[in-house]
């Protein structure tokens, strides 16, 4: 956690001081467990230790500060300072001359148009 990790999880399972197997989980910090961010932000390792009593399994997950390619978490919000309001400058208005419109076409009966 001191080296920039957001969270870590260690699971130790197997015969720990007894005849029956147990599983112990140690968690610290912030850890995500589902979705694409688990692939991008979590580094994990699994090791098996052969002891006289049996096999002991150790799983370690470390959640990194940034993902592969320096990605940020999808729910990370960046709050920006508001922009300063700029006073509008004076706008000059030019007079627009009207465009002449063509005279309307008289109503023509379609039967008379092609005669």
């Amino acid at each position: 956690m001191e080296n920039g990790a957001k969270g870590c999880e260690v699971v130790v399972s197997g015969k720990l001081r007894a005849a029956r197997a147990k599983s112990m989980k140690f968690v610290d910090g912030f850890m995500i467990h589902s979705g694409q961010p688990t692939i991008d932000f979590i580094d994990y390792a699994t090791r098996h230790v052969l002891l006289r009593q049996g096999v002991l399994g150790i799983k370690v997950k470390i959640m990194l500060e940034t993902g592969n390619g320096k990605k940020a978490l999808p729910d990370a919000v960046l709050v920006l300072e508001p922009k300063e309001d700029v006073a509008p400058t004076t706008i000059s208005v030019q007079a627009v001359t009207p465009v002449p419109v063509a005279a309307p076409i008289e109503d023509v009966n379609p039967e008379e148009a092609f005669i």
Side-chain angles (χ1 to χ4, degrees):
M1 297 295 292
E2 292 85 17
N3 292 330
K6 281 191 170 185
C8 65
E9 178 180 301
V10 178
V11 179
V12 180
S13 60
K15 287 185 173 182
L16 304 169
R17 298 186 192 164
R20 294 186 64 102
K22 291 184 180 179
S23 179
M24 298 174 67
K25 183 189 256 187
F26 303 97
V27 179
D28 189 21
F30 176 68
M31 182 72 66
I32 53 176
H33 295 282
S34 64
Q36 181 66 32
T38 57
I39 297 169
D40 295 336
F41 291 93
I42 293 182
D43 191 15
Y44 62 93
T46 303
R47 293 290 179 259
H48 303 288
V49 180
L50 300 176
L51 299 175
R52 190 169 25 133
Q53 292 181 345
V55 179
L56 192 69
I58 301 172
K59 296 178 184 177
V60 177
K61 291 182 182 180
I62 299 174
M63 182 163 172
L64 306 172
E65 185 72 29
T66 57
N68 300 336
K70 302 293 182 183
K71 293 181 183 178
L73 281 173
D75 61 347
V77 177
L78 178 64
V79 178
L80 300 174
E81 293 294 324
K83 293 182 180 179
E84 292 183 17
D85 290 336
V86 179
T89 59
T90 57
I91 300 173
S92 62
V93 178
Q94 298 176 352
V96 178
T97 58
V99 177
V101 179
I105 301 174
E106 297 178 12
D107 291 334
V108 179
N109 188 358
E111 294 175 359
E112 297 173 2
F114 297 105
I115 296 178

